């Protein structure tokens, strides 16, 4: 069972077992987490570009007062789709892309716990995104803001199919998020390399794990809210109908019970990216590993107790206001723990100012600005003044671009060599960082002032001479500069794919397991299952913390078909080998059947919807049916 | 490192509570439990602010619902017994019998619940109580049907050798889901049928 690296024959055997078939069918059927991860990244990044173009069109409209580029109805759809795209179709899926690609490599295994479910979660993400966008391009996009408040979205005030498409699309999308979260949680507890006890996993894993727990608890709230809204609109139920003792505010409660934990779900894994990758460029381990890991968990726990701060202006009793205001301020504590850990890491390290470092350091600055404006709006009296103004828009963009987009761009530069085997251009990288960073602050720092001067969000134009003209022009210019920076990143990626310098296994001299295998990694990731003795398996000789050493050269080969090693949940002691599924078209087929079902619900084709439900059940049964004992190979 | 003993590597499927499948089901149950928590929160939120009387049609009768609750509880006992027969004694026949009894109880529950729905004087569109009643019991019904199909599939696998004493994972996974469906019913039953009687 033990093999020593260097055996070509073992590599060939594993290749034969793990490589997907060539051709279109193989491409559609693959369950390789690396391919799925890259698909997630490419798809989500495409949504970032689409959502960015929507923002640019809005900024053209808002650059000058009384502009007539867009009419109010078009503007409503654009700002709604911009929010939906960025918050749902970009921000979490891009992090799922990193996590899908990296987890098995970081954890020292060969795939996720449920490879087919992983493929399924990608296909559902893609199809639900297309579902929502088909509505938009045919002129029926959601048009009441991404948080979709009733009664604007009741049938009486928004009679077209716009809101139904959004509602059904979000229920569909929620399935992708949920199964993805289950997959991450089980992968963490079951597939880590022997010796990788929970206090040795990278912070990025902590971030995604915490976000996944948050999603399990939060996503049902929004799926339920959208389903209830759809029932109200199509079947005359009265959940949000005030005339029949329904409660419009119930929508806001359910939406933000989901919405606020979601904010943390789309930043904690990104903060994890920084916690793992920033220290590589400081040439030292992260300061305060345990504190940062615990503050990650504390953030999501507190994050479930702050949803009401989105509703301070709705007439909540003072006791509720006080509690939720205090809880919102308390979140500053775990956030500050992480910030000081990053600053201390830079301070006490020997920073190498490569492109990823610039993005990560820029992130720390933007996080502080966004955190301060968040702290301000956590105070009830100030929030009453600022709510529904551009101040809040500035805050959300500092938070979401600052804590999500900047780490993501840094992460792309950092892991591109692992994914492709080639380095990105440093020169283009630096240009892209400085252009994006400058443009971002030109666009969004003045926006705080626009809000303080009283400009409400979501208006399609504004009169001249009320003091907003210059600030809006500045914001529009900044937005186009950001777009130029992102364009440079895309150019850099495309050029480097062909002509980048060859990277080798570990171009950054980084400490974690993904850098122990070749770039790009073989389909089976590791020739033998590694054994882990510390948090920094590839820095052990330098750090010399203990006498023990990790091993990526000697270990179980597990070469009887696709196999991975299962380990115990906390200490990661070996607990059995597990056969993994082969490539399969079932995930795609199941997702397509479900898409047909949601389309049928939208079109009121009830029999087709029932047929799709039965079809989904049949797919699931075929998927889960175990092989007959006789067809199992020898043990 | 030294070699991992072969018996550890080979024993992966023998202890169902250590498998990924079991953990995956527990995570699924966690998110489903959250779903029902939000459903019952919605009920409480609307009920607390509705003008009296609540429920507007009076507390629902227990004549069908109470015996039906006992039927569902009995089905949990039979599936627990079935799992025990298999894990403690390797008794495949006993396990199959337990599954068939559970399926029978489950079918009775579904039928009685359909009858109860049929006898209601209101629809989901009559008033917000009707919307809540049919949506929440409807969600529960959907979970009962899903659990029933799961149990039926496992019963079939037990008959065809795809599950059995050496492959106990499907039995354990479907049984724990069925227990969850029962536990949720107790929460729904308490909310709709018992709480209005306390006020």
């Amino acid at each position: 069972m033990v093999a020593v690296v260097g055996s070509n024959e073992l590599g060939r055997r594993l290749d034969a077992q793990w490589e997907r078939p060539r051709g279109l069918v193989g491409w559609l059927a693959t369950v390789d987490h690396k391919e799925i991860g890259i698909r997630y990244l490419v798809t989500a990044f495409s949504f970032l570009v689409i959502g960015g173009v929507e923002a640019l069109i809005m900024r053209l409209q808002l650059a000058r007062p009384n502009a007539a580029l867009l009419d109010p109805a078009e503007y409503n759809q654009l700002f709604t789709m911009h929010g939906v795209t960025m918050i749902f179709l970009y921000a979490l899926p891009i992090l799922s892309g990193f996590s899908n690609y990296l987890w098995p490599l970081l954890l020292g295994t060969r795939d996720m716990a449920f490879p087919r479910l992983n493929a399924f979660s990608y296909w559902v993400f893609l199809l639900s995104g297309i579902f929502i966008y088909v509505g938009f391009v045919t002129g029926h996009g959601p048009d009441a803001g991404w948080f979709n408040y009733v009664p604007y979205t009741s049938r009486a005030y928004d009679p077209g199919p716009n809101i139904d498409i959004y509602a059904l699309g979000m229920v569909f999308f929620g399935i992708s998020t949920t199964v993805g979260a289950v997959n991450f949680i089980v992968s963490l507890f079951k597939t880590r390399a022997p010796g990788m006890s929970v206090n040795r996993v990278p912070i990025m894993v902590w971030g995604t794990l915490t976000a996944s727990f948050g999603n399990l608890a939060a996503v049902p709230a929004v799926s339920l809210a959208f389903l209830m809204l759809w029932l109200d609109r199509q079947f005359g139920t009265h959940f949000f109908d005030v005339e029949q003792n329904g409660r419009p505010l119930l929508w806001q409660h359910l939406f933000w019970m989901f919405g606020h934990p979601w904010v943390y779900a789309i930043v904690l894994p990104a903060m994890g990216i920084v916690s793992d990758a920033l220290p590589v460029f400081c040439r030292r381990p992260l300061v305060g590993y345990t504190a940062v890991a615990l503050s990650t968990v504390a953030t999501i726990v507190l994050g479930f107790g702050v949803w009401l701060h989105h509703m301070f202006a709705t007439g909540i009793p003072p006791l509720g206001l006080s509690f939720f205001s205090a809880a919102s301020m308390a979140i500053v504590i775990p956030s500050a723990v992480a910030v000081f850990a990053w600053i201390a890491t830079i301070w006490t390290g020997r920073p190498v100012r490569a492109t990823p470092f610039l993005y990560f350091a820029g992130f720390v600055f933007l996080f502080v600005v966004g955190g301060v404006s968040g702290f301000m709006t956590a105070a009830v009296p100030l929030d009453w003044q600022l709510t529904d103004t551009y101040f809040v828009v500035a805050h959300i963009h500092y938070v979401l671009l600052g804590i999500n987009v900047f780490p993501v761009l840094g992460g792309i530069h950092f892991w591109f060599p692992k994914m492709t085997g080639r380095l990105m251009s440093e020169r283009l990288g630096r240009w892209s960082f400085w252009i994006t960073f400058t443009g971002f602050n030109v666009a969004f720092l003045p926006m705080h002032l626009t809000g303080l001067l009283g400009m409400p969000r979501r208006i399609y134009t504004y009169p001249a001479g009320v003091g907003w003209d210059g600030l809006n022009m500045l914001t529009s210019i900044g937005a186009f500069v950001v777009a130029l920076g992102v364009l440079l990143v895309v150019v850099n990626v495309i050029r480097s794919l062909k002509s980048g310098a060859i990277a080798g296994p570990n171009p950054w001299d980084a400490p974690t397991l993904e850098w122990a295998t070749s770039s790009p990694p073989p389909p089976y990731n590791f020739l033998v299952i590694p054994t882990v003795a510390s948090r920094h398996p590839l820095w052990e000789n330098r750090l010399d913390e203990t006498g023990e050493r990790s091993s990526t050269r000697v270990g179980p080969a597990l070469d009887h078909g696709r196999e991975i090693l299962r380990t115990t949940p906390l200490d990661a002691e070996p607990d059995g080998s597990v056969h993994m599924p082969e490539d399969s078209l079932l995930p795609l087929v199941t997702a397509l059947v479900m898409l047909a079902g949601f389309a049928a619900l939208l079109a009121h084709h009830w029999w087709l919807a029932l047929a799709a439900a039965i079809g989904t059940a049949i797919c699931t049964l075929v998927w889960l049916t175990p092989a007959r004992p006789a067809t199992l190979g020898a043990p | 490192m030294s070699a991992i003993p072969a018996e550890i590597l080979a024993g992966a499927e023998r202890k169902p509570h250590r498998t990924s499948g079991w953990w995956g089901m527990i995570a699924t149950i966690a998110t489903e439990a959250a779903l029902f928590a939000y459903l019952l929160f919605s009920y409480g939120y609307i009920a607390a602010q509705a003008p009296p009387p609540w429920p507007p049609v009076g507390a629902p009768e227990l004549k069908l619902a109470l015996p039906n609750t006992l039927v569902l509880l009995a089905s949990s006992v039979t599936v627990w017994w079935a799992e025990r027969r298999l894990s403690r004694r390797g008794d495949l026949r006993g396990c199959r019998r337990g599954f068939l009894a559970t399926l029978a109880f489950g079918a009775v529950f579904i039928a009685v619940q359909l009858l109860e729905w049929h006898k209601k004087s209101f629809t989901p569109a009559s008033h917000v109580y009707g919307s809540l009643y049919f949506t929440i019991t409807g969600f529960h019904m959907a979970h009962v049907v899903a659990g029933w199909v799961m149990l039926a599939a496992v019963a079939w696998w037990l008959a065809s050798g795809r599950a059995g004493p050496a492959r106990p994972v499907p039995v354990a996974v479907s049984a724990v889901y069925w227990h969850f469906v029962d536990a949720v019913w107790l929460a729904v039953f308490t909310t709709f049928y018992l709480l209005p009687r306390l006020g």
Side-chain angles (χ1 to χ4, degrees), chain A residues 486-511:
Chain A
V486 175
L487 184 68
L488 275 188
V489 175
V490 175
V491 170
N492 196 351
V493 164
I494 292 170
R495 276 187 40 175
S496 306
L497 271 176
K498 277 192 180 166
S499 57
I502 299 296
N506 191 0
W508 310 112
D509 185 22

CSV table of all heavy atoms in Angstrom, one decimal, chain A residues 486-511:
chain,number,residue,atom,x,y,z
A,486,VAL,N,-9.7,46.2,-14.8
A,486,VAL,CA,-10.2,44.8,-14.9
A,486,VAL,C,-9.9,44.3,-16.3
A,486,VAL,O,-9.5,43.1,-16.4
A,486,VAL,CB,-11.7,44.7,-14.5
A,486,VAL,CG1,-12.2,43.3,-14.8
A,486,VAL,CG2,-11.9,45.1,-13.1
A,487,LEU,N,-10.0,45.1,-17.3
A,487,LEU,CA,-9.7,44.7,-18.7
A,487,LEU,C,-8.2,44.3,-18.8
A,487,LEU,O,-7.9,43.3,-19.4
A,487,LEU,CB,-10.0,45.9,-19.6
A,487,LEU,CG,-9.8,45.6,-21.1
A,487,LEU,CD1,-10.9,44.6,-21.6
A,487,LEU,CD2,-9.9,46.9,-21.9
A,488,LEU,N,-7.4,45.1,-18.1
A,488,LEU,CA,-5.9,44.7,-18.1
A,488,LEU,C,-5.7,43.3,-17.5
A,488,LEU,O,-4.9,42.6,-18.0
A,488,LEU,CB,-5.1,45.7,-17.4
A,488,LEU,CG,-4.7,47.0,-18.1
A,488,LEU,CD1,-3.8,47.8,-17.3
A,488,LEU,CD2,-4.0,46.6,-19.4
A,489,VAL,N,-6.5,43.0,-16.4
A,489,VAL,CA,-6.3,41.7,-15.8
A,489,VAL,C,-6.7,40.6,-16.9
A,489,VAL,O,-6.0,39.6,-17.0
A,489,VAL,CB,-7.2,41.5,-14.6
A,489,VAL,CG1,-7.1,40.1,-14.0
A,489,VAL,CG2,-6.8,42.5,-13.5
A,490,VAL,N,-7.8,40.9,-17.6
A,490,VAL,CA,-8.2,39.9,-18.6
A,490,VAL,C,-7.2,39.7,-19.7
A,490,VAL,O,-6.8,38.6,-20.1
A,490,VAL,CB,-9.6,40.3,-19.2
A,490,VAL,CG1,-10.0,39.4,-20.3
A,490,VAL,CG2,-10.7,40.3,-18.1
A,491,VAL,N,-6.6,40.9,-20.1
A,491,VAL,CA,-5.6,40.8,-21.2
A,491,VAL,C,-4.4,40.0,-20.6
A,491,VAL,O,-3.8,39.2,-21.3
A,491,VAL,CB,-5.1,42.3,-21.5
A,491,VAL,CG1,-3.9,42.2,-22.4
A,491,VAL,CG2,-6.3,43.0,-22.3
A,492,ASN,N,-4.0,40.3,-19.4
A,492,ASN,CA,-2.9,39.6,-18.8
A,492,ASN,C,-3.1,38.1,-18.8
A,492,ASN,O,-2.2,37.3,-19.1
A,492,ASN,CB,-2.7,40.2,-17.4
A,492,ASN,CG,-1.3,39.8,-16.8
A,492,ASN,OD1,-0.6,39.0,-17.4
A,492,ASN,ND2,-0.9,40.4,-15.7
A,493,VAL,N,-4.3,37.7,-18.4
A,493,VAL,CA,-4.6,36.3,-18.3
A,493,VAL,C,-4.5,35.6,-19.7
A,493,VAL,O,-3.9,34.6,-19.9
A,493,VAL,CB,-6.1,36.1,-17.7
A,493,VAL,CG1,-6.6,34.7,-18.0
A,493,VAL,CG2,-6.1,36.3,-16.2
A,494,ILE,N,-5.1,36.3,-20.7
A,494,ILE,CA,-5.1,35.7,-22.0
A,494,ILE,C,-3.7,35.6,-22.6
A,494,ILE,O,-3.3,34.6,-23.1
A,494,ILE,CB,-6.1,36.5,-22.9
A,494,ILE,CG1,-7.5,36.3,-22.5
A,494,ILE,CG2,-5.9,36.1,-24.4
A,494,ILE,CD1,-8.5,37.3,-23.2
A,495,ARG,N,-2.9,36.7,-22.4
A,495,ARG,CA,-1.6,36.7,-22.9
A,495,ARG,C,-0.7,35.7,-22.2
A,495,ARG,O,0.1,34.9,-22.8
A,495,ARG,CB,-0.9,38.1,-22.8
A,495,ARG,CG,-1.3,39.0,-23.9
A,495,ARG,CD,-0.5,40.3,-23.9
A,495,ARG,NE,0.9,40.1,-23.4
A,495,ARG,CZ,1.7,41.1,-23.4
A,495,ARG,NH1,1.4,42.3,-23.7
A,495,ARG,NH2,3.0,40.9,-23.0
A,496,SER,N,-0.9,35.6,-20.9
A,496,SER,CA,0.0,34.7,-20.1
A,496,SER,C,-0.3,33.2,-20.3
A,496,SER,O,0.6,32.4,-20.2
A,496,SER,CB,-0.1,35.0,-18.6
A,496,SER,OG,0.1,36.4,-18.4
A,497,LEU,N,-1.6,32.9,-20.7
A,497,LEU,CA,-1.9,31.6,-21.0
A,497,LEU,C,-1.0,31.0,-22.1
A,497,LEU,O,-0.6,29.8,-22.1
A,497,LEU,CB,-3.4,31.5,-21.5
A,497,LEU,CG,-4.5,31.3,-20.5
A,497,LEU,CD1,-5.8,31.4,-21.2
A,497,LEU,CD2,-4.3,30.0,-19.7
A,498,LYS,N,-0.7,31.9,-23.1
A,498,LYS,CA,0.2,31.4,-24.2
A,498,LYS,C,1.6,31.6,-23.9
A,498,LYS,O,2.4,30.7,-24.2
A,498,LYS,CB,-0.2,32.2,-25.5
A,498,LYS,CG,-1.4,31.6,-26.2
A,498,LYS,CD,-1.6,32.3,-27.5
A,498,LYS,CE,-2.8,31.7,-28.3
A,498,LYS,NZ,-3.1,32.6,-29.4
A,499,SER,N,2.0,32.8,-23.4
A,499,SER,CA,3.4,33.2,-23.5
A,499,SER,C,4.0,33.5,-22.1
A,499,SER,O,5.1,34.0,-22.0
A,499,SER,CB,3.5,34.4,-24.4
A,499,SER,OG,2.7,35.5,-23.9
A,500,GLY,N,3.2,33.1,-21.0
A,500,GLY,CA,3.8,33.4,-19.7
A,500,GLY,C,5.0,32.5,-19.4
A,500,GLY,O,5.2,31.4,-20.0
A,501,ALA,N,5.9,32.9,-18.5
A,501,ALA,CA,7.0,32.1,-18.2
A,501,ALA,C,6.6,30.9,-17.5
A,501,ALA,O,5.6,30.9,-16.8
A,501,ALA,CB,8.0,32.9,-17.3
A,502,ILE,N,7.3,29.8,-17.7
A,502,ILE,CA,7.0,28.5,-17.1
A,502,ILE,C,7.2,28.6,-15.6
A,502,ILE,O,8.2,29.1,-15.1
A,502,ILE,CB,7.9,27.4,-17.7
A,502,ILE,CG1,7.7,27.3,-19.2
A,502,ILE,CG2,7.6,26.1,-17.0
A,502,ILE,CD1,6.3,26.8,-19.6
A,503,ALA,N,6.2,28.2,-14.8
A,503,ALA,CA,6.2,28.5,-13.4
A,503,ALA,C,6.9,27.4,-12.6
A,503,ALA,O,7.5,27.7,-11.6
A,503,ALA,CB,4.7,28.6,-12.9
A,504,GLY,N,6.8,26.2,-12.9
A,504,GLY,CA,7.3,25.1,-12.0
A,504,GLY,C,6.3,24.9,-10.9
A,504,GLY,O,5.4,25.6,-10.8
A,505,PRO,N,6.6,23.9,-10.1
A,505,PRO,CA,5.6,23.5,-9.0
A,505,PRO,C,5.4,24.6,-8.0
A,505,PRO,O,4.2,24.8,-7.6
A,505,PRO,CB,6.2,22.3,-8.4
A,505,PRO,CG,7.4,21.8,-9.2
A,505,PRO,CD,7.8,23.0,-10.1
A,506,ASN,N,6.4,25.4,-7.6
A,506,ASN,CA,6.2,26.3,-6.5
A,506,ASN,C,6.9,27.6,-6.8
A,506,ASN,O,7.9,28.0,-6.1
A,506,ASN,CB,6.8,25.6,-5.2
A,506,ASN,CG,6.3,26.4,-4.0
A,506,ASN,OD1,5.7,27.4,-4.1
A,506,ASN,ND2,6.8,25.9,-2.8
A,507,PRO,N,6.3,28.4,-7.7
A,507,PRO,CA,7.1,29.7,-8.1
A,507,PRO,C,7.2,30.7,-7.0
A,507,PRO,O,8.1,31.5,-7.0
A,507,PRO,CB,6.2,30.2,-9.2
A,507,PRO,CG,4.9,29.6,-9.0
A,507,PRO,CD,5.1,28.3,-8.4
A,508,TRP,N,6.2,30.7,-6.0
A,508,TRP,CA,6.3,31.7,-5.0
A,508,TRP,C,7.0,31.2,-3.7
A,508,TRP,O,7.0,31.9,-2.7
A,508,TRP,CB,4.8,32.1,-4.6
A,508,TRP,CG,3.9,32.5,-5.7
A,508,TRP,CD1,2.8,31.8,-6.1
A,508,TRP,CD2,4.0,33.7,-6.5
A,508,TRP,NE1,2.2,32.5,-7.1
A,508,TRP,CE2,2.9,33.6,-7.4
A,508,TRP,CE3,4.9,34.7,-6.6
A,508,TRP,CZ2,2.6,34.6,-8.4
A,508,TRP,CZ3,4.6,35.7,-7.6
A,508,TRP,CH2,3.5,35.6,-8.4
A,509,ASP,N,7.5,30.0,-3.8
A,509,ASP,CA,8.0,29.4,-2.6
A,509,ASP,C,7.0,29.4,-1.4
A,509,ASP,O,7.3,30.0,-0.3
A,509,ASP,CB,9.4,30.0,-2.2
A,509,ASP,CG,10.0,29.3,-1.0
A,509,ASP,OD1,9.7,28.1,-0.8
A,509,ASP,OD2,10.8,30.0,-0.3
A,510,ALA,N,5.8,28.9,-1.7
A,510,ALA,CA,4.7,28.9,-0.7
A,510,ALA,C,4.7,27.6,0.1
A,510,ALA,O,5.3,26.6,-0.3
A,510,ALA,CB,3.4,29.1,-1.4
A,511,PRO,N,4.1,27.7,1.3
A,511,PRO,CA,4.2,26.6,2.3
A,511,PRO,C,3.2,25.5,2.2
A,511,PRO,O,3.3,24.5,2.9
A,511,PRO,CB,4.1,27.3,3.6
A,511,PRO,CG,3.2,28.4,3.3
A,511,PRO,CD,3.4,28.8,1.9
